Structure formats: structure tokens, C-alpha cells
Amino acid sequence: MRNSHKEKDDEAIKEQKIKDLRAAIGPLSGRASMFCDDLCLARYLEARNWNVDKAKKMLQDTLKWRATYKPEEIRWHEIAREGETGKVYRADFHDRDGRTVLVLRPGKQNTSSQDNQLRHLVYLLENAIINLSEDQKQMIWLIDFTGWSLTNSVPIRTARETAHILQSHYPERLGAAYLYNPPRIFETFWKIVKYFLDPKTFQKVKFVYLKNEESVTLFTKNFEPEVLPEDYGGKSKTQYNYEEFSKLMMKDDIKADAIWGLDDKHASLSGHRVAPEPEHCTAQAT
């Protein structure tokens, strides 16, 4: 009974903090108003241990970034080239909690523009969010190190910017990040990258080594074996298919237009929103 009262008190405190934060940031309009629903405010408060002043600063920084970067306006046809090899994609399976899974395969890097690589990642973050079920706020990252080496790794600057965007502008969106079978040489890279991560994010990073049965078990128990691809110890034979994924993303672009009220802005593309044929189109990227 005492716990029940405490939970109610905690909820009341959190509701008041959300109201305080809304009052602190003041009136909003347009997309900023759409972005800042109560669940959004709660995530920023949670990221700053429910400190209203710190959450306010964090949220205001995000609103400035979104106003400039316009992540909700990025569309697949703009970054389709980045998706040819399937270096980052939204998986067609979820974890046992029903959370969206983003698969990152840094060994499949196929471009050199860091700006476009980041836009591609941000696009897929936004896409993962609009595909979360109503009862979910977090996604899973599955980072597959097959084919990765220091020679094809992203520059430290890009890794730092990626960590900054994820932590500063998508707080409490990461449920867990599984680093799947990283080579020993990755430890050198990790020693630098881990300093870019705040303590909360760092705790969500899980290493999965194929030669370590315990780590593999901890990973696979979070997924239904029938939906997890064979590449990751499951039974599914699913593979990334660039053409099929492009069709899916173009459908989701229409959904995103409707969510953000961008139907008119992209109306000129609505009749022929097709990803341009890349110079080296790969129908089946495996």
C-alpha cells in the first residue's frame, strides 16, 4: 500500500515537472509545438534527472537544431545513395518488447561525404520513431561489425557528431546498442569513442562476442529466434534488399508528410516519388 502511494506521488511530481517545463519554454507554434508533446517533455526531463532548468536548455538547443537541420524534411530520394549497401536500415523485426530495431553495418560503408552519412542516419532515426508503437518510446541499435576495420571506420569527428546528435537531440530514444562481434582492433577505436558518451548512454552499450557464450545468450534472449536473422543467431533467412527497402521508405515518406503537415511541400514529388537509379544499383545487398 505504501508503495502504491509513493508511485502516485512520483507520478504527480513528474506531471508537475512537465507542466513547469512547458511553462518555462513558453508558447510554441508550428512543428515545434507538434514536437513538444508531453511525452517529449518527459524524455528531456528524464535525460536531465527531472531538473527543469537543465531540461529546458537541452530542449531549446534541440528546437534550434531542428529548425536549422529540419530532420523531418529529409526524404529517401535525397539520401538513397547512402542506402545501397544497407549500412544502416530499419530492420523488419523487433525485439521481444516490440521495439524498432536499427541495424548499422559500418563495414558496408560506401560513400565519403560525412554530411550525407549523418543525414542518412538522422533520416533513419526519424523513420524509426514514426514506426514505434504508441506504447514504445525507445529503439534498439544492432551494430554488426562484419567486414569492419580501422581503414573503413568512420572518422573520429563523425563518431563524435553521431554521439552528440543521438544524445542531445534524441534523448531516451535508445533502449540498447548491441555491438555485434567487434574485432579486437575495435578496442583501440572504442577507447576514444566511449569518452563521447554520457553515463546513461554508455550503460546501454552491450558487447556481443561470438566466442563468449554468455554475451551471445544475453543478446539472443532479447529476440524471438523466428524473427532474428541467421546472421545474428536466429532462424530467419531475411536479407537486406535495397529495392524493397526503397519502396518501404518512400511509403514512409508519405506517412511522414502527413504527420508533419508537409503534404503540400512535397506535393510535386508525390506522383513520382521514386528513388533515383544509383550508378551501382544493388538489387540484393547481402
Side-chain angles (χ1 to χ4, degrees), residues 99-205:
R99 292 178 290 191
T100 299
V101 178
L102 275 188
V103 178
L104 293 84
R105 301 190 290 183
K108 299 277 188 181
Q109 185 57 263
N110 63 325
T111 62
S112 57
S113 169
Q114 293 167 40
D115 288 340
N116 285 342
Q117 290 164 12
L118 282 172
R119 279 174 62 79
H120 178 229
L121 178 61
V122 167
Y123 169 84
L124 286 165
L125 286 171
E126 294 282 320
N127 179 266
I129 289 167
I130 68 171
N131 280 287
L132 286 171
S133 58
E134 286 188 11
D135 61 336
Q136 295 290 356
K137 67 175 184 178
Q138 295 183 321
M139 67 188 78
I140 300 297
W141 281 23
L142 170 52
I143 307 174
D144 176 4
F145 282 88
T146 302
W148 182 90
S149 68
L150 285 179
T151 55
N152 65 11
S153 66
V154 299
I156 293 297
R157 182 177 72 83
T158 305
R160 182 192 294 117
E161 183 64 16
T162 299
H164 170 71
I165 288 173
L166 178 65
Q167 294 174 155
S168 301
H169 304 314
Y170 295 92
E172 298 302 315
R173 284 299 192 189
L174 181 67
Y178 295 103
L179 276 55
Y180 194 84
N181 208 31
R184 183 176 292 272
I185 193 68
F186 176 74
E187 292 174 12
T188 304
F189 188 73
W190 177 245
K191 284 178 182 177
I192 301 171
V193 172
K194 68 181 183 181
Y195 289 109
F196 307 151
L197 305 180
D198 63 38
K200 274 193 172 184
T201 304
F202 183 79
Q203 289 174 5
K204 295 175 181 178
V205 176

Side-chain angles (χ1 to χ4, degrees), residues 85-104:
T85 59
K87 63 187 176 189
V88 187
Y89 64 95
R90 176 166 61 82
D92 61 358
F93 61 91
H94 299 78
D95 75 346
R96 284 188 186 273
D97 292 325
R99 292 178 290 191
T100 299
V101 178
L102 275 188
V103 178
L104 293 84

Side-chain angles (χ1 to χ4, degrees), residues 1-42:
M1 195 70 175
R2 190 175 296 173
N3 284 341
S4 177
H5 283 309
K6 185 179 185 305
E7 286 174 6
K8 286 183 179 179
D9 288 345
D10 288 345
E11 285 302 313
I13 291 171
K14 288 180 179 179
E15 286 178 15
Q16 185 58 51
K17 293 273 189 180
I18 291 171
K19 290 178 182 177
D20 292 345
L21 178 55
R22 188 168 296 285
I25 59 175
L28 298 169
S29 61
R31 290 181 221 168
S33 177
M34 295 169 61
F35 178 73
C36 293
D37 60 14
D38 283 357
L39 292 175
C40 172
L41 300 190

